[in-house]
Amino acid sequence: MKSAANSADWLPASWQKKPAVQQPVYPDANALQSVLAQLARLPPLVTSWEIENLKHQLAEAARGERFLLQGGDCSESFAECESDAIVSKLKILLQMSLVLMQGGRKRVTRIGRFAGQYAKPRSADTETRGGIALPAYRGDLINGAGFTPEERLPDPQRLLRAYERSGLTINFIRALIEGGFADLRHPEYWELAFVSKSPHAAEYTRMVETIGESLRFIEALSGSQMADIARVDFFTSHEGLHLFYEQAQTRQVPHRTGWYNLSTHMPWIGERTRALGGAHIEYFRGIANPIGVKIGPQVTPDEALALADTLNPGNEPGRLTFIHRFGADQVQRGLPPLVEAIRRQEKQILWCCDPMHGNTETTGGGIKTRRFEKILAELETSFRILNECGAHPGGVHFELTGDNVTECLGGASGVTEADLARDYRTQVDPRLNYEQAMEMALLLARLMAQKRKQ
Ligand code: PEP
Ligand code: CO
């Protein structure tokens, strides 16, 4: 099968001839080059085996045989590269995936927005406070969040710090999983401290018990341990925004053709950088990884088809995921024509709903937030549209945390505008907290169960 990676006209640096938006400007070009040379020699964070395995799983999800759960912070921070923060992200994703598995009766692939999600696109190049304008904060990969000229100056050393922290994060995750942390027979390992106080505790506990019993039943019947079923894995993803950083870790590997981005399993292209003639599309079309593209309300059916042609010329299953993020108010207008066009042309696409990024709003008090009911409404509408158009709602993409932050409004625990100030921690976009994320998973599982029974 012809894949983008076989294109003779592509090299990891080809993007440099195209217009590249959202790239930092470093004060010292030599310092940047020296860091990139170091990055290019460091060992990879993931392997092509894992990447191809994920592509295979995403092809199953596109056929409706599996479901994708992608989630994590809007942006990781260097300060939160610590044991508790990583463990609680794993725990919430594991718990949600268990609930979704139970609702959909399908295996779930978990992809974290972690181990490399350090760069953020910004709508303005500068931020002004009290009459002072400084470069915008672009994520810890590039500069610091503090509002001082020193912090906001792009520093290439941060590329190495981010790479190292990505390595530390993925190492810890692999070790936990290897050690049995994610074993479906032991969901008590992933219990978060406040689960028992959650309004969803009873429903969740019932599900966990049912799954445990089913596994034990199958094991008793077969007389062997279901290691393959009971053990789950995790994949990593981040927005492939900083093209010099991504290029430095793009390699050829023995026994395979093509080029792999070995900094993550599944990089994605953001809504602000998916211009067809732009540098990001040029870089992404040549790598062999499964990739995502954010699809917002401005994308026309022709553009969606052109993205599919350019990024997946061989129509390889599992290669391309459209992460659609229209907003609850726009999805009914915007999504059906795209799904129709893709279906008519028989393009291989995994449809994954990101109900977060089209539903961001600012409160009267100037706080960036999202409403639980709008997030849920976009999910429900998207699922209905995809089903009606004969496509599969193949996955979901959330910004969430296992902590009890107060960043999004609503949910059964009733976070109000007045509560937002209590524990608002994100530097960028508001995340679902533990309870909101679990409630979302339970509601989604009901939706999947309904569909199954139709
Ligand atoms: C994000 O995923 O954090 C993001 C910036 O999304 P989008 O590109 O869809 O706006
Ligand atoms: Co975000």
Side-chain angles (χ1 to χ4, degrees), residues 74 113 120 357 370 399 429:
C74 180
R113 287 176 62 114
K120 295 310 299 173
H357 287 89
R370 290 161 173 158
E399 285 183 345
D429 287 341

Side-chain angles (χ1 to χ4, degrees), residues 136-202:
Y137 169 59
R138 291 185 174 275
D140 281 5
L141 184 73
I142 289 137
N143 56 4
F147 196 73
T148 65
E150 296 76 28
E151 283 265 305
R152 291 295 172 92
L153 195 66
D155 176 1
Q157 285 297 320
R158 286 177 167 273
L159 302 177
L160 287 166
R161 299 295 86 77
Y163 173 84
E164 290 153 7
R165 278 177 163 75
S166 302
L168 296 173
T169 304
I170 201 166
N171 176 61
F172 185 42
I173 291 169
R174 287 196 208 284
L176 282 170
I177 299 213
E178 264 312 296
F181 173 80
D183 191 316
L184 291 181
R185 283 165 301 214
H186 292 286
E188 70 278 8
Y189 294 168
W190 354 308
E191 205 106 306
L192 284 147
F194 39 91
V195 167
S196 54
K197 295 191 214 87
S198 155
H200 313 294

